[in-house]
């Protein structure tokens, strides 16, 4: 993720480093972490855990080799000079990796599904479950910036929560004094959400159709940039309103998360005003995505069981991982804002009907 967001893919060695990190090192260490967690929970016997850990090495090695072969094949196709034996062996490496992954997953699945069924039925069931799982994991490896980082964060949170000792639980205070957060009235939320829904829809419509009727727009790309910019700025009051509504549930980090989200939308609006093709637009979008990623990660910090510095470090890693999700949300912020306004509008109607009981005549 650091390589991706630092925009250094033009350097020759970063492509190979990215492939090795996200296609082999990352998946392998995540697999080992999952095996260790299952072993510590008593879900896997020692022999099964050892076999799974060892079997993960050739499985991921063959998977990353298939990905490298695929990349080489594309490069050779662009040069139009024929294919080498390595570029022509993509399917072979994929099949071998699929077989190795299926065998690696079938053994622990057989242990987890242990029951009174006979051995042939258990083995058949384990293989039938392991084969599509191995294929899915191999396919997810092809988009590691999204799935790899988020999966690593989930494993990290689970490991920290399981590593909490009983003594630490006993030493924790039985009650905590929480600051009372007053939620806004449903009627006020509904009125604001309705206004923001109209503004958001107008920005989305302008982005799509502005080039056909707006005199200040030069072409469809210019209209899209302006619509995305206006939609990003219109998302700022929506984030503030959503923060007020969710504050009682998300805790004390909500104001900081809202602040980061608003800063992200402001940077996104500035990036769109720069226009497509501007040298600084992509860098500004990456900054906006990073800010939004940390805005997503801050409320999730309450799930982390660690000391102060450990929690800060984990939240920082979570923010970096969530930046990939932030990149997708930032790119579609102008079209997602009306959806968020509609959700708040529906919530206000339901909350208002619950708080206001009907009068019996």
């Amino acid at each position: 993720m650091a390589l991706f967001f630092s925009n250094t893919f033009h350097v020759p060695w970063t492509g190979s480093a990215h492939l090795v990190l996200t296609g082999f090192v990352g998946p392998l260490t995540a697999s080992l972490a999952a095996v260790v967690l299952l072993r510590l929970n008593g879900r896997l016997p020692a022999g099964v855990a050892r076999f799974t850990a060892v079997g993960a090495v050739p499985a991921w090695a063959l998977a990353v080799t298939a990905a490298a072969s695929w990349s080489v094949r594309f490069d050779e196709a662009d040069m139009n000079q024929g294919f080498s034996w390595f570029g022509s062996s993509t399917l072979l490496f994929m099949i071998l990796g699929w077989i190795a992954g299926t065998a690696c997953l079938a053994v622990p699945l057989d242990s987890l599904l242990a029951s009174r069924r006979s051995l042939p039925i258990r083995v058949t069931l384990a293989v039938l479950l392991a084969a599509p799982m191995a294929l899915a994991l191999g396919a997810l490896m092809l988009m590691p910036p999204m799935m790899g980082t988020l999966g690593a964060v989930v494993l990290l949170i689970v490991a920290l929560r399981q590593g909490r000792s009983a003594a630490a639980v006993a030493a924790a205070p039985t009650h905590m004094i929480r600051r009372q957060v007053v939620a806004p009235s449903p009627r006020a939320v509904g009125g604001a959400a309705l206004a923001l829904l109209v503004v958001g829809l107008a920005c989305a419509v302008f982005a799509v159709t502005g080039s056909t009727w707006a005199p200040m727009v030069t072409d469809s790309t210019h209209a899209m940039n302006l619509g995305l910019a206006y939609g990003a700025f219109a998302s700022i009051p929506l984030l503030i309103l959503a923060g007020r509504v969710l504050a009682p549930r998300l805790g004390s980090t909500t104001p900081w998360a809202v602040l980061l989200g608003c800063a992200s939308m402001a940077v996104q609006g500035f990036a769109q005003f720069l226009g497509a093709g501007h040298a600084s637009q992509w860098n500004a979008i990456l900054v906006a995505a990073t800010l939004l990623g940390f805005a997503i990660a801050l409320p999730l910090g309450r799930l982390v069981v660690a000391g102060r510095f450990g929690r800060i470090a984990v939240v920082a890693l979570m923010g970096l991982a969530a930046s990939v999700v932030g990149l997708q949300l930032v790119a579609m912020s102008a079209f997602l804002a009306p959806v968020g306004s509609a959700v708040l509008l529906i919530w206000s109607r339901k909350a208002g009907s619950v708080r206001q009981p009907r009068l019996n005549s």
Side-chain angles (χ1 to χ4, degrees), residues 67-80:
S69 175
W70 192 0
S71 178
V72 169
R73 183 178 179 87
F74 267 99
D75 293 338
E76 293 174 346
D78 292 336
M79 293 185 296
N80 197 21

Side-chain angles (χ1 to χ4, degrees), residues 143-201:
M143 45 181 179
M146 174 72 74
M147 306 307 299
T149 50
L150 297 181
V153 166
V154 172
L155 279 173
L156 182 57
I157 293 176
V158 172
L160 290 173
R161 294 182 70 87
Q162 290 187 0
R164 182 174 55 176
S165 63
V169 176
T174 56
H175 65 281
M176 297 178 61
I177 299 176
R178 296 184 178 180
R179 186 180 63 177
Q180 296 292 331
V181 179
V182 180
S185 65
R187 180 175 297 180
V189 173
L194 180 59
L196 292 174
L197 177 60
V198 175
V199 173
L201 288 175

Side-chain angles (χ1 to χ4, degrees), residues 231-258:
F233 288 130
S235 301
I236 294 178
L238 175 64
L239 290 175
I240 296 174
L241 183 63
R244 291 288 309 277
V245 172
L246 296 175
R249 296 185 179 182
L250 298 183
S252 59
T253 60
T254 304
W256 298 105
V258 172

Side-chain angles (χ1 to χ4, degrees), residues 330-352:
V330 161
M332 301 182 62
S333 58
F335 301 100
L336 293 177
V339 178
S341 300
V343 171
L344 286 178
L345 183 60
I346 296 173
W347 174 88
S348 65
R349 297 294 298 272
K350 291 185 177 180

